[in-house]
């Protein structure tokens, strides 16, 4: 498909995509397989906005704003390095779009505290973060802010994992409530675009890959770091001798091969050999190491180039954010008009 | 004191005042005696900002935005009619100042949900409003938004009733926390300026004067409405015959005479007569009616003139809001810089 055909395809669909990442760390292979790859594909077919969610990052880093601030350009460089094209995808910074904060304030009056406390995603995250009784108000209410992000761009499709579905339900509740109050369809409901890829486990096979657990393979990991991570991977603890039959279920090396190796027939063959006996973990790990190094090396390299010109990243983010503010401000303006608050 | 002297006095003091009203109804005599009169006096000595708090009004009117919107210009006309001078006092509209919403978002990460739930003012109001389990998130968090209002203008003095002191405590907690996080004194703590005037009771003597209870004498009540309200006032239920001694404590007519009659010696004399016996409620009520009509009539008249030129009110509010946004945006900018979020 050439560029013209792509453009025509894009204008045919009214679907708009909103997606993004908390700017709380560099992106890793879990992001790559779970969402970045998909975004690269989607940008040819849809109007896509990617939000660098620094405000959301602050909701559980309120006392450590630098942890968020220092990662904004990292995330933008990650995007560009994996092939997100700023000419096709709008990349913008949440904190640079005041209309998102304003929408959040309006929506907060339409959602009860009890409803937020029942939100399964938030509940689960609150437990995971060990806030105890000290939940920041900004954290409890971040589903409202997320509804602002989604509705500000009239997004109709939101790529999510199924653990995030309650967030979209919350958004659509706000959409319906607001439209009902004003008696017109200012806001648009969204649908999830579920990722087909199950969550990538961490090398230990137990936890999910997580910046905070320090068990990630990042998009800018170098060859040595990748080799080290693969070497530490959980395989089959009963597979003691090479000639023994091994188990591929729960074997992280095979999970990663399934996710990242370009030749699935070859991976199937390896699995058969491994299950039959005669294929050692050293060999499978070497194959995975080669595969990941081949994948990550060019990303790593492009990423370094982008990071060498931070002014360019800032300029890109500024342009995207200005466009985004214009669009979000239009939605805000419609709400204010309908509320009778647009006096000037 | 002439204008030049006033200007010089104002520039000598660094004190800044922030005050305001929810735009949920016209202002009444309770506002006049409790705060408006004071503001008219304060504007000569301090830099004063008055916020028409439409966003705060929405926190318990989320489903009825017109109740708020329709009162914005009413409130501005009330201000001007009682003598608030837009050349001396900046009058601005909360919803027209995006930086306030942005500050609220940052501050929300520094306040726990438990802390908000413990706030005595909010607790009391939640009970009073009968929200039950359905407290809007915006209502629970409005002390954070109020902290944004106060700190955005670096207000040092906030005129409040003592029931509002917990709100200023909450604000100062945020101020200290934020300054500590960034390691510099960006925000300024505020002090209460307690009103000397006790809360004016409603004509029935039981409830406080309240828009929602419909027992107010408004600043644009006409002579008939004032006469009717005074006639309904609670006096001394045991004072059956004129010649009987009457009680002035809890007698709403005397409470109002104390508050509004310009001649306190005369009111003292009336009280003595009333207590001794020989002064009828009809007479005291006529004296109060005359007094309130004399006070309100010119306000009523000026108010009608202002309301006849709504474009002028809008222009005034726009100008004040633009100045306010500039000032609030500077504070926001300082915070974003210190957080490392001011990339462009």
């Amino acid at each position: 498909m050439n560029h013209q055909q792509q453009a025509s395809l894009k204008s045919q669909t009214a679907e708009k995509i909103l997606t993004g990442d908390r700017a709380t760390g560099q992106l890793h292979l879990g992001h790559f397989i779970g969402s970045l790859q998909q975004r690269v594909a989607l940008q040819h077919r849809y109007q896509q906005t990617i939000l660098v969610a620094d405000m959301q990052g602050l909701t559980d880093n309120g006392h450590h704003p630098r942890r968020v601030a220092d990662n904004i350009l990292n995330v933008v460089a990650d995007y560009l390095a994996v092939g997100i094209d700023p000419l096709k995808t709008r990349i913008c910074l949440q904190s640079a779009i005041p209309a998102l904060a304003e929408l959040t304030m309006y929506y907060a009056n339409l959602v009860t505290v009890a409803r937020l406390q029942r939100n399964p995603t938030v509940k689960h995250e609150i437990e995971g973060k060990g806030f105890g009784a000290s939940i920041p108000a900004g954290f409890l209410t971040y589903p409202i802010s997320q509804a602002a992000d989604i509705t500000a761009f009239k997004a109709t499709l939101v790529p999510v994992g199924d653990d995030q579905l309650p967030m979209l339900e919350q958004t659509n509740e706000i959409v319906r409530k607001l439209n009902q109050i004003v008696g017109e369809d200012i806001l648009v409901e969204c649908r999830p675009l579920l990722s087909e890829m199950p969550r990538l486990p961490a090398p230990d096979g137990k936890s999910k890959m997580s910046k905070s657990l320090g068990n990630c393979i990042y998009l800018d990991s170098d060859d040595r770091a990748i080799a080290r991570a693969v070497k530490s991977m959980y395989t089959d603890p009963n597979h003691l001798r090479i000639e023994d039959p091994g188990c591929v279920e729960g074997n992280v090396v095979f999970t990663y091969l399934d996710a990242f190796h370009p030749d699935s027939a070859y991976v199937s063959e390896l699995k058969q050999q491994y299950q039959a006996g005669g294929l050692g973990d050293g060999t499978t790990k070497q194959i995975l190491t080669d595969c990941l190094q081949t994948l990550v090396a060019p990303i790593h390299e492009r990423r370094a180039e982008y990071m060498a010109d931070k002014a360019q990243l800032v300029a890109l983010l500024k342009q995207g954010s200005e466009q985004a503010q214009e669009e979000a401000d239009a939605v805000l303006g419609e709400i204010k008009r309908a509320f009778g608050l647009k006096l000037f």
Side-chain angles (χ1 to χ4, degrees), chain A residues 163-341:
Chain A
D163 57 331
Q164 294 289 313
L165 289 176
M167 300 310 239
L168 303 197
E169 269 175 51
Q170 175 66 85
T171 296
N172 286 339
E173 275 177 36
I174 291 172
V175 167
R176 288 189 292 267
K177 211 167 274 185
L178 190 130
N179 287 346
Q180 187 215 325
I181 289 169
V182 298
E184 52 180 314
D185 287 347
I186 292 180
L187 300 182
V188 183
E189 289 196 46
C190 64
R191 299 190 319 280
L193 187 64
L194 281 169
S195 171
E196 290 157 26
M197 191 56 63
R199 195 179 288 281
L200 200 66
D204 67 6
K206 285 177 215 151
S207 45
K208 72 177 200 181
M209 218 186 297
S210 155
K211 288 166 265 194
S212 51
L213 295 174
N215 56 12
C216 301
I217 304 177
Y218 290 103
L219 295 181
D220 82 334
S221 288
D222 59 18
D223 284 356
R224 272 185 61 194
I226 291 171
R228 198 168 50 234
V230 173
K231 208 171 169 196
S232 78
M233 276 185 183
Y234 178 86
T235 56
D236 173 0
N238 301 316
H239 184 230
L240 299 176
R241 292 175 309 179
I242 293 180
E243 55 269 35
D244 287 342
C247 181
V248 300
E249 280 81 40
N251 184 319
V252 181
V253 174
F254 282 103
T255 310
Y256 273 61
L257 282 171
D258 276 336
F260 294 102
H261 202 286
D263 186 346
S264 59
Y266 176 62
V267 174
S268 291
E269 224 172 87
L270 288 178
K271 283 183 184 173
Q272 280 171 15
Q273 275 186 46
Y274 192 82
Q275 287 168 315
L279 184 57
D281 285 324
T283 308
T284 58
K285 284 185 171 178
Q286 188 54 53
I287 294 166
L288 178 61
T289 300
D290 291 344
C291 155
L292 293 182
Q293 285 173 345
T294 305
L295 174 74
V296 173
I299 298 175
H300 174 90
E301 199 177 314
R302 283 196 296 271
R303 200 184 175 288
E305 281 168 29
Y306 287 119
M307 283 302 278
D309 187 358
K310 289 188 181 167
Q312 188 198 335
L313 297 178
V314 168
L316 187 154
L317 208 49
K318 181 170 187 280
Q319 196 190 14
S321 302
E322 282 166 357
Q323 288 170 2
Q325 166 65 12
E326 206 171 306
E327 202 172 313
D329 217 30
V331 172
L332 176 67
E334 283 186 76
I335 293 174
K336 288 177 75 167
R337 176 193 48 72
F339 276 15
L341 294 174

Side-chain angles (χ1 to χ4, degrees), chain A residues 18 22 51-59 94-95 97-109 111 116 119 122 137-153 167 170-171 174 328:
Chain A
L18 179 88
R22 291 188 181 217
L51 197 62
V52 181
D54 56 346
M55 297 300 281
Q56 194 179 318
L58 285 175
T59 61
Q94 201 179 19
S95 68
I97 308 168
L100 298 179
E102 295 185 76
L103 286 172
T104 303
M105 296 285 287
Y106 289 104
Y107 296 170
N109 303 322
V111 179
L116 292 168
N119 184 312
V122 174
F139 192 84
L140 182 69
T141 56
Y142 94 77
I144 303 175
S145 151
Q146 220 167 52
D149 301 338
I150 294 169
T151 55
F153 308 111
M167 300 310 239
Q170 175 66 85
T171 296
I174 291 172

